[in-house]
Amino acid sequence: MSQDSADLVSFRVARRVETGERARSHFADRIFSGLLLGSAWIILIVVCGLLAVLVKASWPALTTIGFKAATLAWSPSDDRYGVLSFAFGTVVTSIIALALAGPMGIAVALFLSELAPKRLAGPVSMLVELLAAVPSVVYGLWGLFVLAPVMRTVVQPALGKWLGFLPLFQGPPLGIGMLTGGVLLSIMILPTVAAIARDVFAAVPIEQREGMLALGSTRWEMLTKAVLPYARQGVIGALVLALGRAMGEAMAVVMVIGNTPAVSASLFRPAYTMASVLANEFTEATGQTYVAMLIEIGLLLFGMSIVVNVIARALVWSVSPKGTRAV
Amino acid sequence: MKQELRTDRLSAFYGAHCAIRDITMTFRPKSITALIGPSGCGKSTLLRCLNRMHEVIANTTVKGQVMLDGSNVYDSGIDTTSLRRRVGMVFQRPNPFPTMSISDNVLAGVRLAGDVSDRSTLAEIAERSLRRAALWDEVKDILNRPGTSLSGGQQQRLCIARALAIEPEVLLMDEPASSLDPISTMKIEDLMREIKTDFTIIIVTHNMQQAARVSDFTGFMLAGEAAPGELIEFDESSKIFTTPQDKRTEDYITGRFG
Ligand SMILES: Nc1ncnc2c1ncn2[C@@H]1O[C@H](COP(=O)(O)OP(=O)(O)OP(=O)(O)O)[C@@H](O)[C@H]1O
Ligand SMILES: [Mg+2]
């Protein structure tokens, strides 16, 4: 064999090896993207399956009660299944929770990621994460035995005294009710906000911070004008996640909200939430419609969290400048 | 001389590690001084000491003096925010603020200072700064688009405009063109020559041709194995690049080194 043809052969071999390798990596790529696509589908299927089961199980209620569910009165023994008071309770307690835990959580996160000395930030971060892992029943018991008395004897009288001109803070301080429920929820979701927001702040590039400092900003201005804006999408994400947890929380709320299907302007009054009525009444529900109605409440709660997520997505969209929108 | 900037036996430390030692040099006003030297010799550290950005990093210390107009910037009475407005900085990687529009980016420093709030004045400042940074023609119709929607080279000129908008006396540039293509690099070099009539410019660069092209003075720095970076030679660029006095400078600029 001449040198030329030998070269040609080795060239061909080399080429074959190369294409073979490329084909193999192609194959691996395909398996990988197939796996990813598969997981994405599984999530979609689970969500749809969940929806289907909820609709099926609540079908008796959906057909017999229908739009009469959009009323206030809840009295299963009289066949009255209005769910608005539960929706009201869920919305009000969640708003209170977010209004308190949002700013607090962001402040804690800023403190941990920006201001606290390393020696302090480590242990405190761990504590915050630990708080997120406490079971909700434990929060509920703490709420009942510690928080409720404090609310009754200290917080609510004070609020009544100083802000009593607002309908929100009128009426007798019962210690049990929407305000206590919201405050308890805020304590429960605080770690979620703080832990996620801390990671989001820590991920803001050093160039952004130094860019602002080099323009002659104070540390505070650097935080508010460079770090917070850069991180705002992630912070909104943290708040939505926390809101989702607040809306879905049942056990802790059951213990402090008073479990009374009522709508009132005063936050001191007892109320009921969708998740807690489900947790509380499901085991004792008798009759097909009653059970189906409770499941319908679950379905509505599911729908509400979807709406909240959509709104949050829209919010993220509207705050991200044009041209840099990430879906 | 007015607006004179000089260092006097300046040393800087990261923890116990000494990065630069006993640097004494004078930066001529309204001219361009280049700092060159192998990686790790402390060019960035020296630059960041000049506007006290060095102390932003934890556990850092500085010894010696940086004199600006006759007063030591490390004196206890000096306010870093006003110092940094007088000594602006452009970073190696373009860092526009992504949530701000192009014009808001340019005006970020002006708004921090808070002494101008009149809309038309702000618009004038934005235009003047963008013109100086040779970016105006490219962005004048898209001032409301986010700063991050520009190309890398445009973003870097945006950052230069942002630094110029607060009318600093000194402009520090740490490898401002190292992440850019040759055309963007040329634009930045051109604009440096344009603006040196108004500002004192100090530029760190790894590109010897760039240093020779744009700078009036050049300082060559070098660090030993475990020794801190020192200023080996400092002279007019024409001399440094043609008749260096120190053997090490010659080795470095002829490429026989590191
Ligand atoms: N954040 C830091 N922490 C600790 N040491 C650092 C830090 N930044 C720089 N150093 C050290 O200081 C010395 C000088 O670094 P510097 O970044 O000033 O060099 P440089 O000349 O700018 O290098 P390059 O050309 O690669 O940018 C190096 O020994 C480096 O290891
Ligand atoms: Mg450097």
Side-chain angles (χ1 to χ4, degrees):
Chain A
M1 207 166 20
S2 75
Q3 185 59 44
D4 274 3
S5 57
D7 274 356
L8 200 63
V9 169
S10 64
F11 174 69
R12 281 205 183 123
V13 170
R15 246 178 62 142
R16 198 165 313 137
V17 169
E18 197 182 73
T19 46
E21 241 161 39
R22 195 173 309 148
R24 201 165 65 225
S25 75
H26 226 92
F27 185 62
D29 269 0
R30 264 204 223 142
I31 289 189
F32 188 59
S33 58
L35 276 175
L36 292 184
L37 195 69
S39 339
W41 274 106
I42 287 175
I43 290 172
L44 200 68
I45 289 167
V46 166
V47 170
C48 290
L50 208 64
L51 207 63
V53 169
L54 282 175
V55 169
K56 182 165 178 290
S58 60
W59 195 250
L62 284 169
T63 46
T64 57
I65 312 288
F67 283 106
K68 276 196 289 229
T71 53
L72 284 174
W74 174 264
S75 172
S77 50
D78 310 325
D79 264 349
R80 292 165 72 183
Y81 295 103
V83 300
L84 283 188
S85 58
F86 304 122
F88 176 79
T90 294
V91 168
V92 170
T93 50
S94 303
I95 289 177
I96 296 174
L98 199 64
L100 294 174
M104 271 281 279
I106 291 171
V108 169
L110 273 181
F111 174 73
L112 288 178
S113 71
E114 312 290 334
L115 303 173
K118 278 234 162 56
R119 256 179 312 118
L120 191 64
V124 174
S125 295
M126 229 169 69
L127 216 66
V128 166
E129 269 149 36
L130 212 70
L131 274 180
V134 173
S136 51
V137 179
V138 176
Y139 273 109
L141 287 172
W142 179 82
L144 187 61
F145 292 120
V146 180
L147 182 64
V150 171
M151 294 297 285
R152 187 180 61 238
T153 55
V154 183
V155 179
Q156 292 183 344
L159 280 173
K161 190 169 168 208
W162 302 110
L163 296 169
F165 57 90
L166 293 171
L168 291 178
F169 305 112
Q170 286 169 0
L174 303 172
I176 291 267
M178 288 186 280
L179 187 61
T180 308
V183 170
L184 184 61
L185 280 177
S186 78
I187 296 170
M188 293 180 68
I189 66 175
L190 181 71
T192 310
V193 179
I196 300 177
R198 182 203 55 200
D199 291 347
V200 170
F201 292 145
V204 175
I206 187 88
E207 287 95 347
Q208 290 288 317
R209 301 158 191 270
E210 294 197 335
M212 194 52 90
L213 283 175
L215 289 175
S217 78
T218 59
R219 267 179 80 83
W220 175 247
E221 285 166 330
M222 177 198 84
L223 290 181
T224 55
K225 300 210 158 78
V227 175
L228 271 178
Y230 191 93
R232 63 187 173 186
Q233 298 196 18
V235 170
I236 290 177
L239 294 179
V240 171
L241 219 63
L243 183 61
R245 180 157 187 218
M247 283 172 53
E249 179 50 48
M251 284 325 292
V253 178
V254 162
M255 298 194 188
V256 296
I257 195 157
N259 301 335
T260 313
V263 170
S264 49
S266 170
L267 299 180
F268 296 172
R269 305 295 306 169
Y272 225 154
T273 68
M274 299 168 90
S276 51
V277 73
L278 256 174
N280 222 16
E281 298 191 6
F282 201 75
T283 45
E284 43 194 71
T286 48
Q288 196 198 25
T289 321
Y290 194 179
V291 173
M293 196 57 221
L294 287 173
I295 295 172
E296 188 185 323
I297 291 177
L299 183 65
L300 290 173
L301 189 55
F302 189 46
M304 267 168 69
S305 28
I306 290 177
V307 168
V308 164
N309 270 288
V310 168
I311 292 174
R313 173 75 3 131
L315 205 63
V316 169
W317 248 72
S318 66
V319 299
S320 52
K322 283 162 245 101
T324 58
R325 280 177 177 169
V327 191
Chain B
M1 192 179 284
K2 211 183 164 303
Q3 294 171 349
E4 190 192 61
L5 178 67
R6 72 186 161 83
T7 66
D8 189 13
R9 296 181 59 100
L10 181 72
S11 304
F13 302 81
Y14 295 95
H17 171 69
C18 181
I20 53 174
R21 186 168 66 197
D22 286 345
I23 306 249
T24 301
M25 62 195 300
T26 303
F27 301 95
R28 168 88 68 85
K30 319 275 178 191
S31 56
I32 302 177
T33 304
L35 294 172
I36 60 170
S39 191
C41 69
K43 305 179 294 291
S44 302
T45 306
L46 170 59
L47 204 67
R48 292 168 61 91
C49 284
L50 300 179
N51 65 344
R52 293 184 60 171
M53 284 297 286
H54 182 61
E55 67 198 42
V56 168
I57 300 169
N59 296 324
T60 53
T61 42
V62 170
K63 273 194 345 213
Q65 294 185 327
V66 175
M67 305 297 289
L68 178 62
D69 279 349
S71 60
N72 184 5
V73 306
Y74 283 95
D75 272 349
S76 56
I78 297 285
D79 173 24
T80 51
T81 61
S82 54
L83 168 68
R84 289 176 192 149
R85 280 201 280 277
R86 295 175 65 190
V87 185
M89 189 163 217
V90 174
F91 295 80
Q92 179 169 358
R93 286 231 312 263
N95 57 350
F97 303 121
T99 57
M100 293 185 194
S101 69
I102 291 173
S103 64
D104 287 343
N105 259 289
V106 177
L107 296 171
V110 182
R111 295 221 167 93
L112 277 178
D115 35 38
V116 187
S117 56
D118 171 45
R119 265 166 167 260
S120 61
T121 318
L122 285 173
E124 269 167 39
I125 294 175
E127 176 171 348
R128 185 174 65 231
S129 311
L130 285 166
R131 279 191 194 283
R132 273 174 167 164
L135 189 60
W136 175 251
D137 290 331
E138 288 154 76
V139 302
K140 62 172 185 279
D141 300 321
I142 52 168
L143 290 172
N144 289 319
R145 290 251 288 273
T148 41
S149 66
L150 298 173
S151 76
Q154 290 173 324
Q155 287 187 21
Q156 191 62 304
R157 278 178 283 148
L158 178 62
C159 293
I160 294 175
R162 183 175 74 186
L164 296 182
I166 41 179
E167 300 285 340
E169 294 156 35
V170 182
L171 186 63
L172 310 174
M173 304 173 108
D174 193 348
E175 303 185 46
S178 65
S179 65
L180 305 181
D181 66 288
I183 301 213
S184 303
T185 303
M186 244 174 54
K187 283 187 178 157
I188 288 187
E189 289 179 12
D190 286 343
L191 86 88
M192 283 170 62
R193 276 187 286 259
E194 289 277 321
I195 62 178
K196 80 170 183 185
T197 51
D198 299 325
F199 306 95
T200 305
I201 299 174
I202 305 170
I203 178 178
V204 168
T205 178
H206 274 282
N207 183 331
M208 234 87 65
Q209 285 80 22
Q210 184 171 59
R213 277 195 304 265
V214 298
S215 69
D216 305 301
F217 298 89
T218 298
F220 171 62
M221 294 174 67
L222 192 59
E225 283 286 308
E230 290 182 56
L231 184 66
I232 302 296
E233 193 170 347
F234 179 44
D235 210 331
E236 285 173 25
S237 299
S238 53
K239 289 206 185 117
I240 292 274
F241 288 104
T242 52
T243 52
Q245 300 301 302
D246 196 292
K247 179 82 172 57
R248 291 166 293 181
T249 314
E250 187 179 344
D251 285 350
Y252 183 73
I253 59 171
T254 51
R256 258 176 283 153
F257 194 99

